[in-house]
PDB file of all heavy atoms in Angstrom:
ATOM      1  N   LYS W   1       0.844  -1.187   0.000  1.00  0.00           N
ATOM      2  CA  LYS W   1       0.000   0.000   0.000  1.00  0.00           C
ATOM      3  C   LYS W   1       0.879   1.236   0.000  1.00  0.00           C
ATOM      4  O   LYS W   1       1.892   1.287   0.698  1.00  0.00           O
ATOM      5  CB  LYS W   1      -0.928   0.015   1.217  1.00  0.00           C
ATOM      6  CG  LYS W   1      -2.032  -1.023   1.164  1.00  0.00           C
ATOM      7  CD  LYS W   1      -2.975  -0.883   2.341  1.00  0.00           C
ATOM      8  CE  LYS W   1      -4.104  -1.917   2.254  1.00  0.00           C
ATOM      9  NZ  LYS W   1      -5.035  -1.810   3.411  1.00  0.00           N
ATOM     10  N   VAL W   2       0.506   2.209  -0.797  1.00  0.00           N
ATOM     11  CA  VAL W   2       1.235   3.471  -0.854  1.00  0.00           C
ATOM     12  C   VAL W   2       0.313   4.570  -0.350  1.00  0.00           C
ATOM     13  O   VAL W   2      -0.651   4.949  -1.027  1.00  0.00           O
ATOM     14  CB  VAL W   2       1.713   3.791  -2.285  1.00  0.00           C
ATOM     15  CG1 VAL W   2       2.439   5.130  -2.316  1.00  0.00           C
ATOM     16  CG2 VAL W   2       2.626   2.685  -2.799  1.00  0.00           C
ATOM     17  N   GLU W   3       0.589   5.056   0.845  1.00  0.00           N
ATOM     18  CA  GLU W   3      -0.214   6.142   1.410  1.00  0.00           C
ATOM     19  C   GLU W   3       0.429   7.499   1.124  1.00  0.00           C
ATOM     20  O   GLU W   3      -0.271   8.492   0.931  1.00  0.00           O
ATOM     21  CB  GLU W   3      -0.389   5.947   2.910  1.00  0.00           C
ATOM     22  CG  GLU W   3      -1.190   4.696   3.259  1.00  0.00           C
ATOM     23  CD  GLU W   3      -1.380   4.531   4.748  1.00  0.00           C
ATOM     24  OE1 GLU W   3      -0.773   5.320   5.517  1.00  0.00           O
ATOM     25  OE2 GLU W   3      -2.118   3.609   5.151  1.00  0.00           O
ATOM     26  N   ARG W   4       1.772   7.534   1.102  1.00  0.00           N
ATOM     27  CA  ARG W   4       2.514   8.768   0.830  1.00  0.00           C
ATOM     28  C   ARG W   4       3.497   8.501  -0.305  1.00  0.00           C
ATOM     29  O   ARG W   4       4.420   7.707  -0.156  1.00  0.00           O
ATOM     30  CB  ARG W   4       3.249   9.244   2.091  1.00  0.00           C
ATOM     31  CG  ARG W   4       2.311   9.737   3.188  1.00  0.00           C
ATOM     32  CD  ARG W   4       3.054   9.961   4.490  1.00  0.00           C
ATOM     33  NE  ARG W   4       3.566   8.711   5.021  1.00  0.00           N
ATOM     34  CZ  ARG W   4       2.846   7.865   5.738  1.00  0.00           C
ATOM     35  NH1 ARG W   4       1.579   8.134   6.018  1.00  0.00           N
ATOM     36  NH2 ARG W   4       3.378   6.746   6.174  1.00  0.00           N
ATOM     37  N   PHE W   5       3.247   9.165  -1.425  1.00  0.00           N
ATOM     38  CA  PHE W   5       4.068   8.961  -2.618  1.00  0.00           C
ATOM     39  C   PHE W   5       4.888  10.218  -2.894  1.00  0.00           C
ATOM     40  O   PHE W   5       4.333  11.293  -3.141  1.00  0.00           O
ATOM     41  CB  PHE W   5       3.172   8.635  -3.814  1.00  0.00           C
ATOM     42  CG  PHE W   5       3.926   8.412  -5.101  1.00  0.00           C
ATOM     43  CD1 PHE W   5       4.961   7.498  -5.170  1.00  0.00           C
ATOM     44  CD2 PHE W   5       3.593   9.115  -6.247  1.00  0.00           C
ATOM     45  CE1 PHE W   5       5.649   7.284  -6.352  1.00  0.00           C
ATOM     46  CE2 PHE W   5       4.267   8.916  -7.430  1.00  0.00           C
ATOM     47  CZ  PHE W   5       5.307   7.994  -7.484  1.00  0.00           C
ATOM     48  N   LEU W   6       6.206  10.084  -2.843  1.00  0.00           N
ATOM     49  CA  LEU W   6       7.109  11.227  -3.031  1.00  0.00           C
ATOM     50  C   LEU W   6       7.604  11.279  -4.468  1.00  0.00           C
ATOM     51  O   LEU W   6       8.180  10.315  -4.975  1.00  0.00           O
ATOM     52  CB  LEU W   6       8.302  11.100  -2.083  1.00  0.00           C
ATOM     53  CG  LEU W   6       9.355  12.210  -2.186  1.00  0.00           C
ATOM     54  CD1 LEU W   6       8.772  13.542  -1.718  1.00  0.00           C
ATOM     55  CD2 LEU W   6      10.592  11.854  -1.375  1.00  0.00           C
ATOM     56  N   PHE W   7       7.391  12.414  -5.131  1.00  0.00           N
ATOM     57  CA  PHE W   7       7.883  12.601  -6.494  1.00  0.00           C
ATOM     58  C   PHE W   7       8.923  13.705  -6.505  1.00  0.00           C
ATOM     59  O   PHE W   7       8.677  14.818  -6.022  1.00  0.00           O
ATOM     60  CB  PHE W   7       6.732  12.965  -7.447  1.00  0.00           C
ATOM     61  CG  PHE W   7       7.162  13.161  -8.866  1.00  0.00           C
ATOM     62  CD1 PHE W   7       7.540  12.080  -9.657  1.00  0.00           C
ATOM     63  CD2 PHE W   7       7.196  14.426  -9.430  1.00  0.00           C
ATOM     64  CE1 PHE W   7       7.948  12.260 -10.983  1.00  0.00           C
ATOM     65  CE2 PHE W   7       7.595  14.614 -10.748  1.00  0.00           C
ATOM     66  CZ  PHE W   7       7.975  13.529 -11.524  1.00  0.00           C
ATOM     67  N   ALA W   8      10.105  13.404  -7.059  1.00  0.00           N
ATOM     68  CA  ALA W   8      11.209  14.368  -7.130  1.00  0.00           C
ATOM     69  C   ALA W   8      11.549  14.633  -8.585  1.00  0.00           C
ATOM     70  O   ALA W   8      11.658  13.699  -9.383  1.00  0.00           O
ATOM     71  CB  ALA W   8      12.433  13.823  -6.401  1.00  0.00           C
ATOM     72  N   CYS W   9      11.712  15.903  -8.921  1.00  0.00           N
ATOM     73  CA  CYS W   9      12.150  16.259 -10.269  1.00  0.00           C
ATOM     74  C   CYS W   9      12.823  17.622 -10.237  1.00  0.00           C
ATOM     75  O   CYS W   9      12.966  18.225  -9.166  1.00  0.00           O
ATOM     76  CB  CYS W   9      10.989  16.236 -11.269  1.00  0.00           C
ATOM     77  SG  CYS W   9       9.834  17.603 -11.119  1.00  0.00           S
ATOM     78  N   ASP W  10      13.253  18.115 -11.401  1.00  0.00           N
ATOM     79  CA  ASP W  10      13.945  19.403 -11.461  1.00  0.00           C
ATOM     80  C   ASP W  10      12.998  20.576 -11.687  1.00  0.00           C
ATOM     81  O   ASP W  10      13.411  21.723 -11.714  1.00  0.00           O
ATOM     82  CB  ASP W  10      15.003  19.385 -12.563  1.00  0.00           C
ATOM     83  CG  ASP W  10      14.413  19.062 -13.930  1.00  0.00           C
ATOM     84  OD1 ASP W  10      13.186  18.877 -14.022  1.00  0.00           O
ATOM     85  OD2 ASP W  10      15.193  19.002 -14.894  1.00  0.00           O
ATOM     86  N   PHE W  11      11.688  20.272 -11.887  1.00  0.00           N
ATOM     87  CA  PHE W  11      10.670  21.302 -12.098  1.00  0.00           C
ATOM     88  C   PHE W  11      10.986  22.179 -13.305  1.00  0.00           C
ATOM     89  O   PHE W  11      10.695  23.366 -13.331  1.00  0.00           O
ATOM     90  CB  PHE W  11      10.451  22.122 -10.821  1.00  0.00           C
ATOM     91  CG  PHE W  11       9.861  21.291  -9.716  1.00  0.00           C
ATOM     92  CD1 PHE W  11      10.687  20.636  -8.814  1.00  0.00           C
ATOM     93  CD2 PHE W  11       8.494  21.111  -9.635  1.00  0.00           C
ATOM     94  CE1 PHE W  11      10.154  19.823  -7.828  1.00  0.00           C
ATOM     95  CE2 PHE W  11       7.947  20.297  -8.641  1.00  0.00           C
ATOM     96  CZ  PHE W  11       8.785  19.656  -7.735  1.00  0.00           C
ATOM     97  N   GLU W  12      11.565  21.537 -14.315  1.00  0.00           N
ATOM     98  CA  GLU W  12      11.725  22.139 -15.629  1.00  0.00           C
ATOM     99  C   GLU W  12      10.599  21.624 -16.524  1.00  0.00           C
ATOM    100  O   GLU W  12       9.966  20.601 -16.234  1.00  0.00           O
ATOM    101  CB  GLU W  12      13.085  21.770 -16.233  1.00  0.00           C
ATOM    102  CG  GLU W  12      14.291  22.305 -15.476  1.00  0.00           C
ATOM    103  CD  GLU W  12      14.599  23.774 -15.819  1.00  0.00           C
ATOM    104  OE1 GLU W  12      13.742  24.428 -16.478  1.00  0.00           O
ATOM    105  OE2 GLU W  12      15.664  24.251 -15.428  1.00  0.00           O
ATOM    106  N   ASP W  13      10.360  22.308 -17.642  1.00  0.00           N
ATOM    107  CA  ASP W  13       9.250  21.944 -18.523  1.00  0.00           C
ATOM    108  C   ASP W  13       9.328  20.491 -18.984  1.00  0.00           C
ATOM    109  O   ASP W  13       8.293  19.835 -19.166  1.00  0.00           O
ATOM    110  CB  ASP W  13       9.215  22.860 -19.749  1.00  0.00           C
ATOM    111  CG  ASP W  13       8.764  24.273 -19.399  1.00  0.00           C
ATOM    112  OD1 ASP W  13       8.382  24.502 -18.228  1.00  0.00           O
ATOM    113  OD2 ASP W  13       8.809  25.151 -20.288  1.00  0.00           O
ATOM    114  N   GLU W  14      10.535  19.989 -19.166  1.00  0.00           N
ATOM    115  CA  GLU W  14      10.710  18.617 -19.655  1.00  0.00           C
ATOM    116  C   GLU W  14      10.096  17.586 -18.711  1.00  0.00           C
ATOM    117  O   GLU W  14       9.700  16.493 -19.131  1.00  0.00           O
ATOM    118  CB  GLU W  14      12.209  18.318 -19.836  1.00  0.00           C
ATOM    119  CG  GLU W  14      12.489  16.976 -20.499  1.00  0.00           C
ATOM    120  CD  GLU W  14      13.981  16.688 -20.605  1.00  0.00           C
ATOM    121  OE1 GLU W  14      14.751  17.209 -19.782  1.00  0.00           O
ATOM    122  OE2 GLU W  14      14.367  15.937 -21.518  1.00  0.00           O
ATOM    123  N   SER W  15       9.984  17.945 -17.432  1.00  0.00           N
ATOM    124  CA  SER W  15       9.463  17.009 -16.443  1.00  0.00           C
ATOM    125  C   SER W  15       7.946  17.049 -16.303  1.00  0.00           C
ATOM    126  O   SER W  15       7.377  16.265 -15.529  1.00  0.00           O
ATOM    127  CB  SER W  15      10.101  17.283 -15.077  1.00  0.00           C
ATOM    128  OG  SER W  15      11.486  17.020 -15.105  1.00  0.00           O
ATOM    129  N   LEU W  16       7.271  17.940 -17.038  1.00  0.00           N
ATOM    130  CA  LEU W  16       5.815  18.055 -16.920  1.00  0.00           C
ATOM    131  C   LEU W  16       5.074  16.750 -17.226  1.00  0.00           C
ATOM    132  O   LEU W  16       4.176  16.361 -16.474  1.00  0.00           O
ATOM    133  CB  LEU W  16       5.304  19.184 -17.822  1.00  0.00           C
ATOM    134  CG  LEU W  16       5.454  20.604 -17.261  1.00  0.00           C
ATOM    135  CD1 LEU W  16       5.207  21.642 -18.353  1.00  0.00           C
ATOM    136  CD2 LEU W  16       4.495  20.828 -16.095  1.00  0.00           C
ATOM    137  N   PRO W  17       5.411  16.040 -18.335  1.00  0.00           N
ATOM    138  CA  PRO W  17       4.698  14.781 -18.599  1.00  0.00           C
ATOM    139  C   PRO W  17       4.872  13.763 -17.474  1.00  0.00           C
ATOM    140  O   PRO W  17       3.917  13.065 -17.111  1.00  0.00           O
ATOM    141  CB  PRO W  17       5.340  14.285 -19.905  1.00  0.00           C
ATOM    142  CG  PRO W  17       5.897  15.511 -20.549  1.00  0.00           C
ATOM    143  CD  PRO W  17       6.362  16.367 -19.419  1.00  0.00           C
ATOM    144  N   ALA W  18       6.093  13.666 -16.938  1.00  0.00           N
ATOM    145  CA  ALA W  18       6.340  12.718 -15.854  1.00  0.00           C
ATOM    146  C   ALA W  18       5.548  13.111 -14.612  1.00  0.00           C
ATOM    147  O   ALA W  18       5.016  12.250 -13.898  1.00  0.00           O
ATOM    148  CB  ALA W  18       7.834  12.662 -15.532  1.00  0.00           C
ATOM    149  N   PHE W  19       5.471  14.408 -14.340  1.00  0.00           N
ATOM    150  CA  PHE W  19       4.705  14.879 -13.184  1.00  0.00           C
ATOM    151  C   PHE W  19       3.229  14.506 -13.321  1.00  0.00           C
ATOM    152  O   PHE W  19       2.597  14.046 -12.362  1.00  0.00           O
ATOM    153  CB  PHE W  19       4.842  16.399 -13.037  1.00  0.00           C
ATOM    154  CG  PHE W  19       3.850  16.997 -12.072  1.00  0.00           C
ATOM    155  CD1 PHE W  19       3.996  16.821 -10.707  1.00  0.00           C
ATOM    156  CD2 PHE W  19       2.758  17.721 -12.547  1.00  0.00           C
ATOM    157  CE1 PHE W  19       3.060  17.363  -9.818  1.00  0.00           C
ATOM    158  CE2 PHE W  19       1.834  18.266 -11.672  1.00  0.00           C
ATOM    159  CZ  PHE W  19       1.986  18.084 -10.299  1.00  0.00           C
ATOM    160  N   GLN W  20       2.655  14.690 -14.515  1.00  0.00           N
ATOM    161  CA  GLN W  20       1.248  14.361 -14.720  1.00  0.00           C
ATOM    162  C   GLN W  20       1.008  12.865 -14.525  1.00  0.00           C
ATOM    163  O   GLN W  20      -0.017  12.451 -13.955  1.00  0.00           O
ATOM    164  CB  GLN W  20       0.796  14.801 -16.116  1.00  0.00           C
ATOM    165  CG  GLN W  20       0.854  16.305 -16.367  1.00  0.00           C
ATOM    166  CD  GLN W  20      -0.104  17.109 -15.501  1.00  0.00           C
ATOM    167  OE1 GLN W  20      -0.888  16.554 -14.736  1.00  0.00           O
ATOM    168  NE2 GLN W  20      -0.046  18.432 -15.616  1.00  0.00           N
ATOM    169  N   LYS W  21       1.957  12.054 -14.980  1.00  0.00           N
ATOM    170  CA  LYS W  21       1.835  10.601 -14.801  1.00  0.00           C
ATOM    171  C   LYS W  21       1.940  10.238 -13.326  1.00  0.00           C
ATOM    172  O   LYS W  21       1.222   9.353 -12.835  1.00  0.00           O
ATOM    173  CB  LYS W  21       2.919   9.878 -15.603  1.00  0.00           C
ATOM    174  CG  LYS W  21       2.742   9.967 -17.107  1.00  0.00           C
ATOM    175  CD  LYS W  21       3.901   9.321 -17.843  1.00  0.00           C
ATOM    176  CE  LYS W  21       3.783   9.501 -19.351  1.00  0.00           C
ATOM    177  NZ  LYS W  21       4.950   8.921 -20.075  1.00  0.00           N
ATOM    178  N   ALA W  22       2.844  10.914 -12.610  1.00  0.00           N
ATOM    179  CA  ALA W  22       3.000  10.659 -11.178  1.00  0.00           C
ATOM    180  C   ALA W  22       1.726  11.051 -10.428  1.00  0.00           C
ATOM    181  O   ALA W  22       1.297  10.355  -9.493  1.00  0.00           O
ATOM    182  CB  ALA W  22       4.193  11.436 -10.633  1.00  0.00           C
ATOM    183  N   LYS W  23       1.129  12.146 -10.844  1.00  0.00           N
ATOM    184  CA  LYS W  23      -0.115  12.615 -10.230  1.00  0.00           C
ATOM    185  C   LYS W  23      -1.229  11.586 -10.448  1.00  0.00           C
ATOM    186  O   LYS W  23      -1.996  11.267  -9.521  1.00  0.00           O
ATOM    187  CB  LYS W  23      -0.497  13.964 -10.836  1.00  0.00           C
ATOM    188  CG  LYS W  23      -1.655  14.667 -10.153  1.00  0.00           C
ATOM    189  CD  LYS W  23      -1.887  16.028 -10.801  1.00  0.00           C
ATOM    190  CE  LYS W  23      -3.100  16.723 -10.189  1.00  0.00           C
ATOM    191  NZ  LYS W  23      -3.357  18.027 -10.831  1.00  0.00           N
ATOM    192  N   SER W  24      -1.310  11.058 -11.657  1.00  0.00           N
ATOM    193  CA  SER W  24      -2.322  10.037 -11.966  1.00  0.00           C
ATOM    194  C   SER W  24      -2.058   8.756 -11.181  1.00  0.00           C
ATOM    195  O   SER W  24      -2.999   8.102 -10.711  1.00  0.00           O
ATOM    196  CB  SER W  24      -2.327   9.737 -13.468  1.00  0.00           C
ATOM    197  OG  SER W  24      -2.675  10.887 -14.212  1.00  0.00           O
ATOM    198  N   PHE W  25      -0.783   8.397 -11.053  1.00  0.00           N
ATOM    199  CA  PHE W  25      -0.413   7.192 -10.315  1.00  0.00           C
ATOM    200  C   PHE W  25      -0.840   7.318  -8.855  1.00  0.00           C
ATOM    201  O   PHE W  25      -1.405   6.386  -8.277  1.00  0.00           O
ATOM    202  CB  PHE W  25       1.102   6.980 -10.408  1.00  0.00           C
ATOM    203  CG  PHE W  25       1.605   5.798  -9.620  1.00  0.00           C
ATOM    204  CD1 PHE W  25       1.490   4.509 -10.113  1.00  0.00           C
ATOM    205  CD2 PHE W  25       2.203   5.975  -8.378  1.00  0.00           C
ATOM    206  CE1 PHE W  25       1.961   3.425  -9.393  1.00  0.00           C
ATOM    207  CE2 PHE W  25       2.670   4.906  -7.652  1.00  0.00           C
ATOM    208  CZ  PHE W  25       2.549   3.617  -8.157  1.00  0.00           C
ATOM    209  N   ALA W  26      -0.562   8.466  -8.245  1.00  0.00           N
ATOM    210  CA  ALA W  26      -0.939   8.689  -6.853  1.00  0.00           C
ATOM    211  C   ALA W  26      -2.453   8.617  -6.683  1.00  0.00           C
ATOM    212  O   ALA W  26      -2.961   8.021  -5.726  1.00  0.00           O
ATOM    213  CB  ALA W  26      -0.413  10.040  -6.377  1.00  0.00           C
TER     214      ALA W  26
END
């Protein structure tokens, strides 16, 4: 079970797709 999911990135535009996928995963 994942109650707290930590996503780390550089917060550059290139990471936007990965962030959206991480958000959906959570």
Side-chain angles (χ1 to χ4, degrees):
K1 289 184 179 179
V2 179
E3 295 181 353
R4 291 170 295 277
F5 180 53
L6 179 67
F7 180 72
C9 73
D10 58 1
F11 294 91
E12 296 279 11
D13 289 355
E14 187 183 27
S15 295
L16 280 167
F19 167 73
Q20 297 295 356
K21 291 176 184 177
K23 189 177 177 181
S24 298
F25 177 80

